[in-house]
Amino acid sequence: MRSPRNPVRRKTSPSHCLLLTAPATWRRPGTLGGCERASSSPSIRHRMRGDCVLWVPGSDHAGIATQAVVEKQLWKERGVSRHELGREDFLREVWKWKEEKGGEICRQLRALGASLDWDRECFTMDAGSSVAVTEAFVRLHKAGLLYRSRQLVNWSCALRSAISDVEVDHRSLPGPTELRLPGCPTPVTFGLLVSVAFPVDGEPDAEVVVGTTRPETLPGDVAVAVHPDDARYTHLHGRHLRHPLTGQLLPLVADSAVQPHVGTGAVKVTPAHSPADAELGARHGLRPQSVIAEDGTMAPACGDWLQGLHRFVAREKILSALRERGLLRGLQSHPMVLPLCSRSGDVVEYLLKSQWFVRCREMAERAAQAVASGALELSPSFHEKTWRLWFSRTEDWCVSRQLWWGHRIPAYLLVGEPGTMGHGEDCWVVGRTEAEAREAAAELTGRPGAELTLERDPDVLDTWFSSALFPFSSLGWPQQTPDLTRFYPLSLLETGSDLLLFWVGRMVMLGTQLTGQLPFSKVLLHAMVRDRQGRKMSKSLGNVLDPRDIIRGAELQVLQEKLRDGNLDPKELAIAAAAQRKDFPHGIPECGTDALRFALCSHGALAGDLHLSVSEVLSSRHFCNKVWNALRFIFGVLGENFMPQPAEELSPASPMDAWILSRLARTARECERGFLARELPLATHALHHFWLHSLCDVYLEAVKPGLSHGPRPPGPPQVLLCCADAGLRLLAPFMPFLAEELWQRLPPGPGGPRAPSISVAPYPSAQSLEHWHRPELERRFSRVQEAVQALRALRATFQLTKARPRVLLQSSEPGERAVFEAFLEPLGTLGRCGAVGLLPAGAPAPSGWAQAPLSKGAQVHMELQGLVDPQAHLPLLAARRHKLQKQLDGLVARTPSEGEAEARRQQRLSALHLELSKLDQAASHLQQLMAASPSPRDP
């Protein structure tokens, strides 16, 4: 029987997936709950336990990322921008791209064997989700929780859109650092503090020196601030300074937020481009002046000499002007944190924009209280600290995005109706439809709706807005409010735990506000999968691992072609291709779905990020082969006409049978513990140990002689079937394809037809196998295994490759002698020895036999007389000893280090000392043997 390739569906790894499980009493009759042949580890286990499992597949529209990809592709292929196409034609191109490329996530999931209810597949731009988004916007607006205001927002000049806080990367710079930025013709140096003099009005020789890392914002300065208690500037309170570029008068204001011990203790105030300055300016009634435009160029307010220049080109022109005027007081290295747009790599600007905002304070308080009270459990628990931090300082959420791809905001401007709100501001109305908005406008203005002109807001909503509604919209809201309280637990998958935590927070805030209930009571936050070096996977780094490439294998040429087919610019492509050639010089070997799943589940979800290497997956593939070969042997033992015995009636006929069944029961207990604790590595380790080290390496090897020669004992075949059946069902959540293929080949039990699929067969519980659990027997057998290891070590030392020497075991403990006596036959088989007997306590060791101590005073003796030529073997031992001694001397001479390196050094020293001791003992045995019997017989 040949090991099969794992069946490959096609691929996936979703943006959003919702996993709900409920007790078996809620299962829909006559269905498998959306079960496919294979499924994810948690969902298939719940289904095998009889629970009703619903795993909803879904993905968001990724507004910024998707629009950027399509824009780049249009420019690359056709040389047109979205503005040249127009909104409607551009959106058709995006939908076309989505149909071609947007299904990658779901195809990856299928390839990974994830069992989702594909009939419920959701996309945040679907009609149902769009209705939910509009309804949520309208309800929040009516509740006074959604408003329009002109405030500072995170702005990406490269994208020409507002972005969220989680889309801002804060990069620490130790000092002067040169960066290349999109749209800027030359590299820009950051990490420099520029000192600028502001002359004091009316005092020709007096000035206040201010330090800044953003000299390009100088045209937007409206004041200079100092601390009120700073004695250096108290005489200037109430005075004015001259702007170093324009000469305009700027007030010097005293504010306690200024840190007097930082720099000169004086700071420039730019309310239109700094959140901190905006707060300070509001306290002092300072009017902000915007000097950076949406596209990152300098605004008209800067004057003709700067208007239209890229802001970082303008920086150099401003510095030159300051030098010419004698007001530049110096440049010095300055550590700083630079905000970068994670989507474009551009420096984030803070711009004053009229946008829609969600009031978050009350909703954030409820979210914080949900975790504090235990109503919402976050796992791993260390996320609770981040949760508390976020919701203790939550600001209002800007939900406007200056994009075309997304949910267009259902808000309308009343054209030609300024001042309707009584403050000269633009008048906006909100409605589910334009007709509803007209009704609202008519009520607001007192005029017939047909006479009013409405213009819909061209902006779209933040993708996170629709994603936050996912648990509800995917299950029918707002037409019906799903009762999620009866489900447990809820698992959410995203790309990285920080983003996932942010998403969960938005869901809790909006969900509790709109439906009056928490969307879930538990959340499992999965770790981010990184490459083997711990780097985040990125196309530009060339380290992205497509699950399908690992499953099916991929030649290097294919991997390189995928890079070329992407949207990387030539420089990024060259770097990525070189990195890929280094990491995968021979491509990626075929590993199969089950091996990839097992490798992923072998990492702790509750620990840090997961570092995945292909070699690790390849190791799991070898484990798959081991399981396959074990079942091939078991099928051969069972034969065609085997009659299985009911598992509940199986009684072990030998100590070895009892031991392997106890190991099976322990494995079921460890798997249960791992699933309940959400620590899948506990389960994968237990299964790996059972199949590899307990069943294959020990039990199968011990019973093979009895099954291969003469009449077969009835016990082992029944035990092997039981181990195969329960062992495969335990393995099914992690290796569904392999487990299904092998389980279907097992002979049916006496109780009638088996379940149609292993994915709905009963999952072995610890309680169901507890009657086989014999921990004391396992403890005793560990002594037998210790003896086996000692015998194998002696065979290796004396190079007994074919000979089967006689063995004697000796112990002063009666209980231990009884253990050895019960396992004499398997001990000889596993130790690859001949006859095995017991040597009475205190009896002298036979002459010409080697000896190895065991723990607790026991010993093993192995016959050497006539099997080893001392004269030929002693020089080999001497050469080996010389080599090890040289290694030891080198380690001893090495200067001691610290930490883990020193611990490894000490461990190696101990191992070398032990090995040298064994060689000395072996040489002593050979010398004794040579003295007693100079004429050895040929083995």
Side-chain angles (χ1 to χ4, degrees), residues 307-537:
Q307 180 181 350
L309 289 178
H310 190 284
R311 62 196 186 281
F312 296 122
V313 173
R315 169 189 286 191
E316 297 304 319
K317 197 167 184 179
I318 289 171
L319 292 177
S320 297
L322 291 173
R323 287 191 187 94
E324 291 174 3
R325 300 177 187 194
L327 297 176
L328 181 64
R329 294 294 176 261
L331 300 171
Q332 64 185 72
S333 175
H334 182 72
M336 65 177 294
V337 176
L338 188 67
L340 297 173
C341 173
S342 64
R343 303 292 188 180
S344 65
D346 199 5
V347 173
V348 172
E349 297 294 341
Y350 301 102
L351 302 187
L352 276 172
K353 305 292 294 182
S354 291
Q355 309 275 274
W356 291 96
F357 293 85
V358 174
R359 299 187 198 276
C360 293
R361 186 176 61 83
E362 291 183 5
M363 290 189 284
E365 289 175 356
R366 286 198 295 268
Q369 180 58 28
V371 171
S373 66
L376 172 60
E377 176 189 343
L378 299 178
S379 184
S381 59
F382 61 75
H383 287 294
E384 293 180 5
K385 181 179 180 181
T386 306
W387 185 273
R388 289 193 300 270
L389 181 63
W390 278 2
F391 289 112
S392 66
R393 60 183 190 189
T394 299
E395 298 177 351
D396 287 355
W397 172 18
C398 173
V399 293
S400 296
R401 296 294 180 268
Q402 288 62 47
L403 307 171
W404 288 353
W405 175 241
H407 295 101
R408 194 165 176 182
I409 295 175
Y412 299 81
L413 173 66
L414 273 70
V415 180
E417 299 292 331
T420 306
M421 304 304 293
H423 304 288
E425 301 173 356
D426 288 341
C427 182
W428 291 82
V429 290
V430 170
R432 297 171 181 83
T433 62
E434 183 175 338
E436 186 175 295
R438 283 191 180 278
E439 292 179 7
E443 182 179 348
L444 185 67
T445 62
R447 295 171 54 191
E451 297 179 3
L452 300 173
T453 302
L454 300 183
E455 287 185 1
R456 188 169 182 176
D457 192 331
D459 293 347
V460 300
L461 285 166
D462 183 4
T463 302
W464 293 106
F465 192 90
S466 54
S467 295
L469 301 173
F470 181 74
F472 301 98
S473 62
S474 63
L475 297 177
W477 189 87
Q479 288 80 7
Q480 59 183 22
T481 300
D483 180 12
L484 300 182
T485 57
R486 66 189 182 116
F487 291 100
Y488 70 93
L490 181 142
S491 176
L492 297 156
L493 310 181
E494 239 290 351
T495 53
S497 57
D498 285 346
L499 282 179
L500 179 51
L501 190 64
F502 180 83
W503 179 32
V504 170
R506 296 302 191 213
M507 282 189 287
V508 171
M509 288 169 56
L510 293 190
T512 52
Q513 177 64 37
L514 295 169
T515 69
Q517 64 167 314
L518 282 171
F520 31 75
S521 59
K522 299 180 181 180
V523 183
L524 175 61
L525 298 148
H526 294 256
M528 177 182 285
V529 180
R530 297 179 178 269
D531 70 6
R532 61 186 177 87
Q533 301 176 41
R535 300 175 302 174
K536 186 175 180 179
M537 292 191 186

Side-chain angles (χ1 to χ4, degrees), residues 180-254:
R180 288 191 173 273
L181 302 173
C184 189
T186 57
V188 183
T189 301
F190 296 90
L192 284 174
L193 186 68
V194 180
S195 297
V196 182
F198 283 69
V200 178
D201 183 46
E203 294 187 30
D205 297 328
E207 64 184 26
V208 174
V209 177
V210 170
T212 179
T213 59
R214 297 294 308 272
E216 62 274 13
T217 64
L218 273 169
D221 290 352
V222 296
V224 170
V226 296
H227 193 278
D229 299 331
D230 192 334
R232 293 171 293 179
Y233 303 110
T234 52
H235 67 289
L236 296 177
H237 288 185
R239 300 288 297 276
H240 284 77
L241 311 177
R242 289 285 179 183
H243 193 289
L245 295 177
T246 66
Q248 293 178 334
L249 292 176
L250 305 181
L252 186 138
V253 299

Side-chain angles (χ1 to χ4, degrees), residues 803-882:
R804 293 293 183 265
R806 290 180 294 166
V807 168
L808 293 173
L809 296 121
Q810 188 177 39
S811 176
S812 58
E813 294 290 335
E816 189 166 52
R817 287 200 300 271
V819 171
F820 288 148
E821 188 170 12
F823 290 98
L824 285 180
E825 184 177 350
L827 198 153
T829 302
L830 297 171
R832 303 185 185 96
C833 301
V836 180
L838 295 176
L839 185 66
S847 176
W849 288 50
Q851 173 185 320
L854 304 178
S855 59
K856 300 181 181 178
Q859 294 178 335
V860 293
H861 303 274
M862 177 183 286
E863 179 186 24
L864 297 181
Q865 189 73 40
L867 301 176
V868 177
D869 181 356
Q871 292 182 343
H873 206 72
L874 277 170
L876 298 177
L877 291 180
R880 172 69 177 158
R881 194 190 191 290
H882 177 74

